[in-house]
Amino acid sequence: MNTKQLIFTILGIIISINLFAQDTGTGMTWGATFTPYEQLLINENFMGFDFFFNGQNINDGNSKNEIDPVSGDMIYGYKDDSLDIHIPGSESGTIRYIYKQCAFAPEWKTVRAEFTGGENTDNVSDGFVEISRPDTKYSTVPTLKGHFIVDLREVSFVEGMYWSHSSTGNGKRGAMCEISVDDGITWDTLRYQPGENSYAKSFHKDISTGEKTYNLFRCDQAAFGMTWEDEIYAENVMLRFVCAGEQTIQTLRLHDLKIFGLYIPPTSAEKVKGNSLEILKLKRRIKISGFADVEIYDLTGKILYRKQNINEVPLNIIPKGTYIVRASNGKSAATQKIVNQF
C-alpha cells in the first residue's frame, strides 16, 4: 500500500467511526438517566392554548409578520404575552410563562407525522408553541428571535425536567434550553442541540459544576419530534427555550414540558423565623432555612460531613441510613434526625 492509499484508508476509518458515533434517533428516552422523585409541578402540552398562527400550513417555517396592504399596519404572526400557571397543591403559588414572538398550535401534529399519516415520536404531544427564529431571508417582513421563558422562582427547589421539541421542515433542526439562577440577569446553557452538521457541539451542562457532557445527537428526526431529559437541582430557576443558533433555518416547536420540584409555602418550616434555623429533608437534599455551618453524624456520634456557610446538602454524599444533622450560624442552632433512602 502506498502513502496515498494509506492516507485515504485512514480518512475512511475516521469518517466511519464519526458516522457510527452519531445518534440519529429521537433524543433521550424519558427516565433513561433521570428518575424524578419530587412533585410534578408542570405537565404542559400546549393543547389548551388558543390557536395563534399566520397561515394554516404546518410546514410554513415561520408564522410570518405581514403588512396590511390597506392600512399599512403590521399583522403579527407571533405575539408577546405572559401567563400564570397555578402550582398544584398550593393556595396561591404560581409559575409564569413569558413568551416573546411565539405562536400556538394546540392540535397540529409534528410535520412528518402530518405529511406521512404517521404518528409523533413517543411522548411527543400534538400541541406546541412555535418560537420564532430571526429571519430576513424568507420573510417579507423580518421576524425576530423569540423565546419562551418558564419562571420558576416561586418554586423552592427544581429537580429536573422532561421535554420534547420538533421543527418545521424535514429535520436536523436544533433546540436550546438556557437557565438563570440570578433573576434573569445572566443565562447559562443547560442543553444545546444544534441542527445540521453542528451535532458534535451538542451537550448538556451540570449547572452546579459547569461540566459539559457531549452527546452527538444530530436531531435528524426533529420533524417527528425529539424527547429530552435534564437534571437541574437548583433554586430560583428560570428556563428559556430558544432556537439553537442564529443560522437555524427552521423554527423550534416546544411540544411538552414536565418539570419536577418542590414548592414550599412561604409560611412553612423552610422560611427563617427570626433568628431560628430550620432543617428540612427533601427527597434528595437536606435544606437549611439560612446559611449555616452544617455537620452530619451517624448514630454512634461519628462525624461524616462538615461544611461551613451552606444552606443545602445533597444526600448522595452519605450512604443509606439514619443520621443526625446539626446546623448553626452563631445566633442559633438546630438539630434534626433524618433518614436517607437514596
Side-chain angles (χ1 to χ4, degrees):
M1 181 182 295
N2 59 37
T3 303
K4 186 175 181 180
Q5 289 174 321
L6 179 61
I7 291 173
F8 277 106
T9 299
I10 293 172
L11 286 174
I13 293 172
I14 292 172
I15 292 171
S16 297
I17 292 172
N18 190 40
L19 289 172
F20 181 76
Q22 299 172 29
D23 190 321
T24 56
T26 53
M28 304 177 67
T29 302
W30 290 349
T33 61
F34 166 55
T35 302
Y37 291 94
E38 301 297 343
Q39 179 185 1
L40 178 62
L41 299 174
I42 291 181
N43 188 13
E44 185 63 76
N45 60 15
F46 302 101
M47 297 178 73
F49 284 71
D50 293 331
F51 183 90
F52 186 88
F53 248 83
N54 233 356
Q56 297 293 320
N57 185 354
I58 191 174
N59 198 34
D60 271 346
N62 243 13
S63 185
K64 301 177 178 64
N65 299 328
E66 299 175 351
I67 300 294
D68 188 302
V70 178
S71 67
D73 295 334
M74 175 79 80
I75 302 173
Y76 289 99
Y78 293 98
K79 62 179 176 179
D80 303 341
D81 208 340
S82 63
L83 177 68
D84 287 338
I85 306 297
H86 178 252
I87 296 176
S90 73
E91 292 185 5
S92 59
T94 57
I95 294 166
R96 173 165 288 190
Y97 297 158
I98 304 167
Y99 39 97
K100 175 184 177 183
Q101 295 298 285
C102 289
F104 297 88
E107 297 180 356
W108 280 356
K109 287 186 175 183
T110 58
V111 172
R112 250 183 222 175
E114 182 72 24
F115 286 155
T116 64
E119 298 297 330
N120 297 346
T121 299
D122 288 347
N123 292 320
V124 177
S125 299
D126 286 350
F128 59 79
V129 53
E130 180 176 291
I131 304 166
S132 176
R133 73 178 191 275
D135 180 14
T136 58
K137 181 177 180 181
Y138 298 98
S139 297
T140 305
V141 181
T143 54
L144 304 174
K145 184 174 184 178
H147 62 240
F148 188 90
I149 290 176
V150 184
D151 185 346
L152 296 154
R153 287 178 291 177
E154 283 194 33
V155 174
S156 306
F157 171 72
V158 179
E159 183 184 24
M161 65 175 173
Y162 297 152
W163 58 287
S164 69
H165 94 279
S166 74
S167 74
T168 51
N170 286 322
K172 299 185 183 179
R173 314 306 183 196
M176 182 162 68
C177 179
E178 300 172 307
I179 186 170
S180 175
V181 292
D182 60 3
D183 302 314
I185 297 172
T186 60
W187 293 87
D188 197 2
T189 302
L190 179 64
R191 177 171 293 280
Y192 180 58
Q193 299 293 157
E196 299 298 342
N197 294 319
S198 300
Y199 65 90
K201 299 178 182 178
S202 59
F203 67 86
H204 163 84
K205 181 181 285 187
D206 186 316
I207 298 305
S208 61
T209 65
E211 181 182 359
K212 293 181 180 179
T213 301
Y214 290 89
N215 56 44
L216 295 182
F217 283 105
R218 277 185 59 96
C219 292
D220 277 15
Q221 301 299 318
F224 273 123
M226 302 191 74
T227 55
W228 308 106
E229 58 178 14
D230 290 286
E231 299 173 80
I232 296 175
Y233 305 116
E235 302 172 311
N236 202 52
V237 169
M238 299 174 73
L239 299 172
R240 183 167 69 182
F241 296 89
V242 296
C243 296
E246 297 296 331
Q247 302 303 317
T248 300
I249 298 175
Q250 302 290 356
T251 53
L252 165 63
R253 290 175 170 177
L254 182 64
H255 284 255
D256 299 273
L257 188 59
K258 298 178 184 291
I259 295 180
F260 303 87
L262 185 68
Y263 173 75
I264 304 173
T267 56
S268 71
E270 186 195 15
K271 190 173 181 181
V272 179
K273 301 175 182 178
N275 290 328
S276 65
L277 283 174
E278 300 286 346
I279 299 171
L280 182 69
K281 178 188 173 292
L282 309 181
K283 288 186 177 180
R284 286 189 167 187
R285 298 203 167 204
I286 299 167
K287 186 74 177 162
I288 315 299
S289 62
F291 283 89
D293 298 342
V294 178
E295 297 174 336
I296 300 177
Y297 300 83
D298 65 19
L299 295 184
T300 69
K302 179 182 178 181
I303 188 166
L304 302 179
Y305 176 88
R306 175 186 287 141
K307 197 165 185 179
Q308 297 180 325
N309 197 33
I310 59 173
N311 68 347
E312 64 178 28
V313 180
L315 283 171
N316 61 5
I317 66 168
I318 54 177
K320 291 182 180 180
T322 303
Y323 301 92
I324 303 298
V325 180
R326 177 175 172 79
S328 61
N329 62 7
K331 298 179 181 179
S332 60
T335 302
Q336 180 71 45
K337 180 184 288 187
I338 64 102
V339 177
N340 179 22
Q341 298 173 319
F342 300 99

